[in-house]
Amino acid sequence: MTDQLTALSKLLAYVLRHRPGAVGVALDDGGWVDVDVLLTALARHGRPVTPDLLDRLVAGTDKQRFEVRGGRIRAAQGHSIAVDLRLAPATPPPVLYHGTVARFLAGIGVEGLQPRGRTHVHLSADQRTAATVGARRGEPVILSVDAAGMHRSGFAFYRAVNGVWLTSHVPPPWITSP
Ligand code: HQG
């Protein structure tokens, strides 16, 4: 990704996941805002973004962070503000992975995986993605989650459009550390 696209991705992730008020827009309860409204607001706050640049961001990032539908845009996942993405509950693969770091293992052993600042715990379908997520914080540690067992026990799982799996929390018995 070019530096320009990376900067725009960070700005939009901040606005659409955490603080729409920072540029004076409001999200609807599904997390959506009109593309036109967003672009006007960004320009008004000194961050002009051309529709072409936005298109390139939405189409071309390694990780599909944003969803555009019917002239509206939202973050695909990762919110800290309350939104209802209206994802349909889905059957997860038997095992999902969570990338973290050693310093969090004691807490995770006691409380399980908590969503912390976000609305859901984020899980990955493959270990490589989990390693990338963990590596944001240091030497990654990959935990395995018995998603099939949780699902059978009634936990709901959701798959965001970008393939990230979401669930409310993962209690310790469902987690295996390496
Ligand atoms: C940890 C990025 C102690 C958890 C990535 C994680 C992902 C605990 C951190 C997405 C804990 C929360 C999400 C407990 C959880 N005690 N630590 N009980 N429960 N933790 O950033 O999964 O680039 O909110 O292990 O690719 O790291 O933003 O979650 O380390 O998909 O698009 O608390 O963010 O996507 O951190 O990352 P985060 P995450 P984007």
Side-chain angles (χ1 to χ4, degrees), residues 136-169:
R136 285 153 56 240
R137 299 201 157 76
E139 182 63 32
V141 175
I142 301 171
L143 305 178
S144 303
V145 170
D146 177 3
M150 286 180 70
H151 190 245
R152 272 197 304 275
S153 300
F155 284 83
F157 285 82
Y158 307 90
R159 188 179 175 281
V161 286
N162 58 5
V164 171
W165 283 88
L166 306 170
T167 195
S168 58
H169 72 289

Short mmCIF file of all heavy atoms in Angstrom, two decimals, residues 136-169:
data_model
loop_
_atom_site.label_atom_id
_atom_site.label_comp_id
_atom_site.label_asym_id
_atom_site.label_seq_id
_atom_site.Cartn_x
_atom_site.Cartn_y
_atom_site.Cartn_z
N ARG A 136 1.72 -7.45 16.01
CA ARG A 136 1.56 -6.00 16.22
C ARG A 136 2.08 -5.59 17.59
O ARG A 136 2.36 -4.43 17.84
CB ARG A 136 0.09 -5.61 16.11
CG ARG A 136 -0.44 -5.59 14.69
CD ARG A 136 -1.95 -5.86 14.61
NE ARG A 136 -2.81 -5.00 15.36
CZ ARG A 136 -3.65 -5.41 16.33
NH1 ARG A 136 -3.70 -6.68 16.66
NH2 ARG A 136 -4.42 -4.57 16.95
N ARG A 137 2.15 -6.56 18.52
CA ARG A 137 2.49 -6.22 19.90
C ARG A 137 3.82 -6.81 20.38
O ARG A 137 4.22 -6.57 21.50
CB ARG A 137 1.40 -6.74 20.84
CG ARG A 137 0.07 -6.14 20.57
CD ARG A 137 -0.84 -6.25 21.78
NE ARG A 137 -1.87 -5.23 21.69
CZ ARG A 137 -2.91 -5.31 20.89
NH1 ARG A 137 -3.08 -6.37 20.12
NH2 ARG A 137 -3.79 -4.34 20.85
N GLY A 138 4.44 -7.65 19.56
CA GLY A 138 5.69 -8.28 19.97
C GLY A 138 5.79 -9.66 19.37
O GLY A 138 5.15 -9.95 18.35
N GLU A 139 6.57 -10.51 20.02
CA GLU A 139 6.72 -11.90 19.55
C GLU A 139 5.35 -12.59 19.67
O GLU A 139 4.80 -12.71 20.77
CB GLU A 139 7.75 -12.59 20.45
CG GLU A 139 8.07 -14.02 20.09
CD GLU A 139 8.71 -14.13 18.71
OE1 GLU A 139 9.44 -13.20 18.30
OE2 GLU A 139 8.45 -15.15 18.05
N PRO A 140 4.76 -13.02 18.55
CA PRO A 140 3.39 -13.53 18.64
C PRO A 140 3.28 -14.90 19.32
O PRO A 140 4.15 -15.75 19.15
CB PRO A 140 2.95 -13.62 17.18
CG PRO A 140 4.19 -13.64 16.37
CD PRO A 140 5.27 -12.97 17.17
N VAL A 141 2.21 -15.06 20.07
CA VAL A 141 1.84 -16.35 20.65
C VAL A 141 0.47 -16.69 20.06
O VAL A 141 -0.43 -15.85 20.09
CB VAL A 141 1.74 -16.27 22.19
CG1 VAL A 141 1.23 -17.58 22.77
CG2 VAL A 141 3.07 -15.87 22.79
N ILE A 142 0.34 -17.88 19.50
CA ILE A 142 -0.92 -18.23 18.83
C ILE A 142 -1.73 -19.20 19.70
O ILE A 142 -1.27 -20.30 20.01
CB ILE A 142 -0.64 -18.85 17.45
CG1 ILE A 142 0.13 -17.85 16.60
CG2 ILE A 142 -1.95 -19.23 16.75
CD1 ILE A 142 0.64 -18.42 15.32
N LEU A 143 -2.90 -18.74 20.10
CA LEU A 143 -3.80 -19.59 20.89
C LEU A 143 -4.79 -20.28 19.96
O LEU A 143 -5.24 -19.68 18.98
CB LEU A 143 -4.56 -18.73 21.90
CG LEU A 143 -3.71 -17.86 22.82
CD1 LEU A 143 -4.61 -17.01 23.72
CD2 LEU A 143 -2.78 -18.74 23.66
N SER A 144 -5.13 -21.52 20.28
CA SER A 144 -6.16 -22.23 19.52
C SER A 144 -7.46 -22.20 20.30
O SER A 144 -7.46 -22.36 21.53
CB SER A 144 -5.77 -23.70 19.31
OG SER A 144 -4.53 -23.77 18.66
N VAL A 145 -8.55 -21.97 19.60
CA VAL A 145 -9.87 -21.89 20.23
C VAL A 145 -10.74 -23.01 19.66
O VAL A 145 -10.86 -23.17 18.44
CB VAL A 145 -10.50 -20.51 19.95
CG1 VAL A 145 -11.96 -20.48 20.36
CG2 VAL A 145 -9.71 -19.41 20.64
N ASP A 146 -11.34 -23.77 20.56
CA ASP A 146 -12.23 -24.87 20.16
C ASP A 146 -13.58 -24.26 19.73
O ASP A 146 -14.55 -24.27 20.48
CB ASP A 146 -12.40 -25.84 21.33
CG ASP A 146 -13.36 -26.98 21.01
OD1 ASP A 146 -13.86 -27.06 19.87
OD2 ASP A 146 -13.62 -27.78 21.94
N ALA A 147 -13.58 -23.73 18.51
CA ALA A 147 -14.76 -23.02 18.03
C ALA A 147 -15.94 -23.98 17.84
O ALA A 147 -17.09 -23.63 18.13
CB ALA A 147 -14.44 -22.32 16.72
N ALA A 148 -15.66 -25.20 17.39
CA ALA A 148 -16.75 -26.17 17.20
C ALA A 148 -17.43 -26.46 18.54
O ALA A 148 -18.66 -26.49 18.65
CB ALA A 148 -16.21 -27.46 16.59
N GLY A 149 -16.61 -26.66 19.58
CA GLY A 149 -17.17 -26.94 20.91
C GLY A 149 -17.98 -25.76 21.43
O GLY A 149 -19.08 -25.93 21.98
N MET A 150 -17.46 -24.56 21.26
CA MET A 150 -18.19 -23.37 21.70
C MET A 150 -19.51 -23.24 20.96
O MET A 150 -20.55 -22.95 21.55
CB MET A 150 -17.35 -22.10 21.45
CG MET A 150 -16.19 -21.92 22.39
SD MET A 150 -15.27 -20.40 22.00
CE MET A 150 -16.46 -19.13 22.51
N HIS A 151 -19.44 -23.45 19.66
CA HIS A 151 -20.64 -23.31 18.83
C HIS A 151 -21.70 -24.32 19.27
O HIS A 151 -22.87 -23.97 19.43
CB HIS A 151 -20.25 -23.51 17.36
CG HIS A 151 -21.33 -23.15 16.40
ND1 HIS A 151 -21.95 -24.08 15.58
CD2 HIS A 151 -21.95 -21.97 16.14
CE1 HIS A 151 -22.88 -23.47 14.86
NE2 HIS A 151 -22.89 -22.20 15.17
N ARG A 152 -21.27 -25.56 19.51
CA ARG A 152 -22.21 -26.60 19.99
C ARG A 152 -22.82 -26.19 21.33
O ARG A 152 -23.94 -26.53 21.65
CB ARG A 152 -21.49 -27.94 20.17
CG ARG A 152 -21.47 -28.80 18.92
CD ARG A 152 -21.12 -30.26 19.26
NE ARG A 152 -19.86 -30.38 19.98
CZ ARG A 152 -18.65 -30.43 19.41
NH1 ARG A 152 -18.57 -30.39 18.09
NH2 ARG A 152 -17.56 -30.53 20.14
N SER A 153 -22.04 -25.45 22.14
CA SER A 153 -22.53 -25.03 23.46
C SER A 153 -23.37 -23.77 23.40
O SER A 153 -23.77 -23.25 24.44
CB SER A 153 -21.35 -24.77 24.39
OG SER A 153 -20.60 -25.93 24.53
N GLY A 154 -23.58 -23.22 22.20
CA GLY A 154 -24.50 -22.09 22.08
C GLY A 154 -23.85 -20.73 21.88
O GLY A 154 -24.55 -19.73 21.82
N PHE A 155 -22.53 -20.67 21.82
CA PHE A 155 -21.90 -19.37 21.53
C PHE A 155 -22.14 -19.00 20.07
O PHE A 155 -22.02 -19.85 19.19
CB PHE A 155 -20.39 -19.44 21.76
CG PHE A 155 -19.99 -19.42 23.21
CD1 PHE A 155 -20.00 -20.60 23.95
CD2 PHE A 155 -19.62 -18.24 23.83
CE1 PHE A 155 -19.63 -20.60 25.28
CE2 PHE A 155 -19.26 -18.23 25.17
CZ PHE A 155 -19.27 -19.42 25.90
N ALA A 156 -22.47 -17.74 19.84
CA ALA A 156 -22.68 -17.27 18.46
C ALA A 156 -21.36 -16.80 17.87
O ALA A 156 -20.54 -16.16 18.55
CB ALA A 156 -23.69 -16.13 18.45
N PHE A 157 -21.15 -17.13 16.62
CA PHE A 157 -19.98 -16.68 15.85
C PHE A 157 -20.47 -15.92 14.61
O PHE A 157 -21.51 -16.25 14.05
CB PHE A 157 -19.13 -17.87 15.39
CG PHE A 157 -18.32 -18.48 16.50
CD1 PHE A 157 -18.90 -19.39 17.38
CD2 PHE A 157 -17.00 -18.14 16.68
CE1 PHE A 157 -18.16 -19.94 18.41
CE2 PHE A 157 -16.24 -18.69 17.70
CZ PHE A 157 -16.83 -19.60 18.57
N TYR A 158 -19.69 -14.94 14.23
CA TYR A 158 -20.01 -14.13 13.05
C TYR A 158 -18.75 -14.02 12.21
O TYR A 158 -17.64 -13.94 12.76
CB TYR A 158 -20.46 -12.72 13.46
CG TYR A 158 -21.58 -12.75 14.46
CD1 TYR A 158 -21.30 -12.76 15.82
CD2 TYR A 158 -22.91 -12.80 14.04
CE1 TYR A 158 -22.33 -12.83 16.76
CE2 TYR A 158 -23.94 -12.86 14.97
CZ TYR A 158 -23.64 -12.88 16.33
OH TYR A 158 -24.66 -12.94 17.23
N ARG A 159 -18.93 -13.97 10.91
CA ARG A 159 -17.79 -13.80 10.02
C ARG A 159 -17.93 -12.46 9.33
O ARG A 159 -18.89 -12.24 8.58
CB ARG A 159 -17.77 -14.94 9.00
CG ARG A 159 -16.52 -14.98 8.16
CD ARG A 159 -16.59 -16.17 7.20
NE ARG A 159 -15.46 -16.16 6.29
CZ ARG A 159 -15.38 -15.39 5.21
NH1 ARG A 159 -16.38 -14.58 4.88
NH2 ARG A 159 -14.31 -15.44 4.45
N ALA A 160 -17.00 -11.53 9.59
CA ALA A 160 -17.04 -10.23 8.90
C ALA A 160 -16.69 -10.44 7.44
O ALA A 160 -16.10 -11.47 7.07
CB ALA A 160 -16.04 -9.26 9.55
N VAL A 161 -17.06 -9.48 6.59
CA VAL A 161 -16.83 -9.65 5.15
C VAL A 161 -15.36 -9.90 4.82
O VAL A 161 -15.05 -10.49 3.80
CB VAL A 161 -17.31 -8.45 4.29
CG1 VAL A 161 -18.81 -8.43 4.20
CG2 VAL A 161 -16.75 -7.15 4.79
N ASN A 162 -14.46 -9.46 5.68
CA ASN A 162 -13.04 -9.65 5.40
C ASN A 162 -12.48 -10.95 5.98
O ASN A 162 -11.27 -11.14 6.02
CB ASN A 162 -12.23 -8.45 5.89
CG ASN A 162 -12.41 -8.22 7.37
OD1 ASN A 162 -13.07 -9.00 8.04
ND2 ASN A 162 -11.83 -7.17 7.88
N GLY A 163 -13.37 -11.83 6.46
CA GLY A 163 -12.91 -13.14 6.90
C GLY A 163 -12.54 -13.22 8.37
O GLY A 163 -12.26 -14.31 8.88
N VAL A 164 -12.57 -12.08 9.08
CA VAL A 164 -12.29 -12.11 10.52
C VAL A 164 -13.50 -12.74 11.22
O VAL A 164 -14.65 -12.42 10.91
CB VAL A 164 -12.07 -10.67 11.05
CG1 VAL A 164 -11.99 -10.66 12.57
CG2 VAL A 164 -10.80 -10.07 10.46
N TRP A 165 -13.24 -13.66 12.16
CA TRP A 165 -14.32 -14.27 12.93
C TRP A 165 -14.50 -13.50 14.24
O TRP A 165 -13.51 -13.11 14.87
CB TRP A 165 -14.03 -15.74 13.21
CG TRP A 165 -14.28 -16.59 12.00
CD1 TRP A 165 -13.38 -16.88 11.01
CD2 TRP A 165 -15.51 -17.21 11.63
NE1 TRP A 165 -14.00 -17.65 10.04
CE2 TRP A 165 -15.29 -17.87 10.40
CE3 TRP A 165 -16.78 -17.28 12.21
CZ2 TRP A 165 -16.29 -18.58 9.74
CZ3 TRP A 165 -17.78 -17.98 11.57
CH2 TRP A 165 -17.54 -18.63 10.35
N LEU A 166 -15.75 -13.30 14.62
CA LEU A 166 -16.07 -12.50 15.80
C LEU A 166 -16.93 -13.33 16.75
O LEU A 166 -17.81 -14.08 16.33
CB LEU A 166 -16.87 -11.25 15.39
CG LEU A 166 -16.23 -10.36 14.31
CD1 LEU A 166 -17.24 -9.30 13.84
CD2 LEU A 166 -14.98 -9.69 14.84
N THR A 167 -16.67 -13.17 18.05
CA THR A 167 -17.54 -13.75 19.06
C THR A 167 -17.46 -12.87 20.30
O THR A 167 -16.56 -12.02 20.40
CB THR A 167 -17.19 -15.23 19.35
OG1 THR A 167 -18.26 -15.84 20.06
CG2 THR A 167 -15.89 -15.36 20.13
N SER A 168 -18.41 -13.04 21.22
CA SER A 168 -18.50 -12.08 22.33
C SER A 168 -17.32 -12.23 23.31
O SER A 168 -16.73 -11.24 23.73
CB SER A 168 -19.81 -12.27 23.08
OG SER A 168 -19.89 -13.60 23.56
N HIS A 169 -16.97 -13.44 23.68
CA HIS A 169 -15.79 -13.69 24.51
C HIS A 169 -15.50 -15.18 24.46
O HIS A 169 -16.35 -15.96 24.02
CB HIS A 169 -15.98 -13.21 25.95
CG HIS A 169 -16.91 -14.04 26.76
ND1 HIS A 169 -18.28 -14.07 26.55
CD2 HIS A 169 -16.68 -14.91 27.77
CE1 HIS A 169 -18.84 -14.91 27.41
NE2 HIS A 169 -17.90 -15.43 28.15
#
